Amino acid sequence: RSPITCLKVLRVLGLFDANLEPYLHITIPSVVRLAEQPDAVMEVRVGSVNWIAVMCRKLNFAEFASRLIHPLARILDSGPEPLRRPVLNALYALMHALGRAFLVFAPVLDKVLVRRKLADPKYQGLLLQVRNG
């Protein structure tokens, strides 16, 4: 797979918008796999994470929350530095999209943030907003 092709496929998937919803069970695992692949080109990995952040605002990802948040937590925990900011942005978007349902995943993410010494005031502020409703 060439990086250019992967990026074009991600862009086209974004164009499907709401028409993609019936196929999320196929699409999401593939995009997550791209993001997690350590030997993939960084641009493709970042593009995959950014796709998640954009599409979770347009589509209902509630059913796939665990399939998204746990891999993002793994990437945050062991992934390279250039992926940290896009992963955090995707987590912010998922937090907005999922609302209180996101709180189930907060302890896992908190452990990763503490272990990696990532103090992120925006994450903490959004989490507090979600907790307070």
Side-chain angles (χ1 to χ4, degrees), residues 95 102-103 106 110 122-131:
M95 207 179 302
F102 185 88
L103 295 177
D110 289 343
K122 185 175 180 179
Y123 171 81
Q124 297 302 330
L126 288 172
L127 192 59
L128 190 61
Q129 280 182 338
V130 169
R131 280 194 176 121

Side-chain angles (χ1 to χ4, degrees), residues 3-123:
I4 295 171
T5 304
C6 289
L7 291 170
K8 285 182 180 181
V9 168
L10 287 170
R11 188 181 60 78
V12 169
L13 285 174
L15 296 175
F16 281 116
D17 215 23
N19 297 318
L20 190 62
E21 194 136 3
Y23 305 101
L24 286 178
H25 67 284
I26 299 167
T27 309
I28 287 178
S30 299
V31 173
V32 168
R33 222 174 298 123
L34 272 177
E36 278 194 295
Q37 232 172 13
D39 59 338
V41 176
M42 186 57 61
E43 193 175 339
V44 171
R45 293 181 76 185
V46 169
S48 300
V49 172
N50 288 338
W51 183 88
I52 293 168
V54 169
M55 295 309 286
C56 78
R57 293 181 181 109
K58 298 177 181 181
L59 302 171
N60 183 7
F61 276 19
E63 185 180 331
F64 306 97
S66 182
R67 292 186 199 173
L68 291 165
I69 295 172
H70 286 289
L72 289 174
R74 286 193 297 270
I75 294 169
L76 196 60
D77 194 20
S78 60
E81 180 68 33
L83 269 177
R84 286 204 177 133
R85 183 53 45 198
V87 166
L88 285 170
N89 290 337
L91 289 171
Y92 304 152
L94 284 164
M95 207 179 302
H96 281 291
L98 298 173
R100 294 188 65 77
F102 185 88
L103 295 177
V104 173
F105 304 101
V108 172
L109 292 167
D110 289 343
K111 285 179 187 174
V112 170
L113 290 172
V114 168
R115 184 172 36 247
R116 292 291 160 204
K117 296 179 178 100
L118 297 171
D120 190 40
K122 185 175 180 179
Y123 171 81

